[in-house]
């Protein structure tokens, strides 16, 4: 994660600060801990900490200890912001096919989203748990329609969204991608996908 207001540096940026073309593995290991997540392929450092380290200061500036809506998150970090769990493969496919929000910036070749961007997008997706039928114990005997029942309306909204996705992708969309978009399980997505395809025949 790149904390809000901090300037990120990649290996090439640090090498340039040291007057070199590249940064060796041994040199990288002597630097302050990267701010990129553990396991990230591309390591990213905080400029204030690097400058302090290169200046030989005994201590480096501390990173903020509170999250901010403006924090920058890589793809995996962004995935963990969703209210409903999305599998890594499904989220990666969603990003690759352009169904996710556009990255706010590219840092060292890595797409990053603001925490605010991801949470706002997630909050405006159709949520999990919607479906048809009457609430348990309901005494209302009148037929329910999407116009009068919020749950049916949300279920219909799901189907409409899936139909649009199918049309845009020319039918090349998976249940995993639908699950990522709607915030539901892959099993639920598979059922909705089949219903929409059956209705289109």
């Amino acid at each position: 994660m790149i904390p809000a207001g901090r300037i990120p540096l990649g290996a090439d940026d640090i090498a340039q600060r040291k007057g070199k073309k590249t940064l060796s593995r041994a040199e990288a290991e002597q630097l302050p801990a990267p701010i990129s997540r553990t396991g990230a392929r591309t390591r990213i450092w905080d400029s204030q900490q690097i400058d302090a380290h290169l200046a030989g200061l005994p201590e480096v500036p501390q990173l903020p200890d509170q999250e901010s809506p403006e924090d920058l998150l890589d793809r995996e970090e962004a995935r963990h912001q969703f209210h409903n769990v999305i599998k890594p493969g499904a989220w990666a496919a969603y990003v690759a096919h352009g169904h996710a929000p556009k990255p706010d910036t590219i840092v060292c070749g890595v797409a990053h989203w603001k925490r605010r961007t991801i949470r706002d997008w997630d909050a405006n997706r159709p949520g999990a748990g919607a479906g048809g039928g009457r609430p348990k114990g309901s005494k209302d005997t009148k037929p329910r329609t999407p116009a009068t029942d919020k749950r049916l309306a949300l279920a219909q909204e799901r189907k409409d969204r899936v139909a649009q996705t199918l049309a845009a992708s020319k039918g090349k969309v998976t249940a995993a991608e639908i699950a990522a978009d709607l915030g539901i399980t892959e099993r639920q997505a598979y059922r909705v996908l089949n219903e929409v395809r059956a209705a289109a025949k």
Side-chain angles (χ1 to χ4, degrees), residues 9 17 32 46-57 60-61:
L9 294 177
R17 274 170 159 74
D46 177 72
S47 64
Q48 292 184 35
Q49 292 188 335
I50 292 300
D51 288 342
H53 172 78
L54 295 180
L57 299 180
V60 298

Side-chain angles (χ1 to χ4, degrees), residues 127-148:
R134 297 179 174 82
K136 185 176 181 181
S138 173
K139 296 181 180 180
D140 185 4
T141 59
K142 294 182 180 180
R144 292 181 179 270
T145 68
T148 60

Side-chain angles (χ1 to χ4, degrees), residues 54-88:
L54 295 180
L57 299 180
E59 295 184 0
V60 298
Q62 296 297 310
L63 297 172
D65 57 4
Q66 294 183 342
E67 67 178 39
S68 165
E70 302 302 308
D71 291 338
L72 291 172
L73 313 174
D74 70 9
R75 190 179 69 192
E76 180 63 11
E77 291 166 332
R79 184 179 71 86
H80 288 284
Q81 297 298 305
F82 296 121
H83 179 71
N84 295 300
V85 177
I86 297 179
K87 293 181 179 180

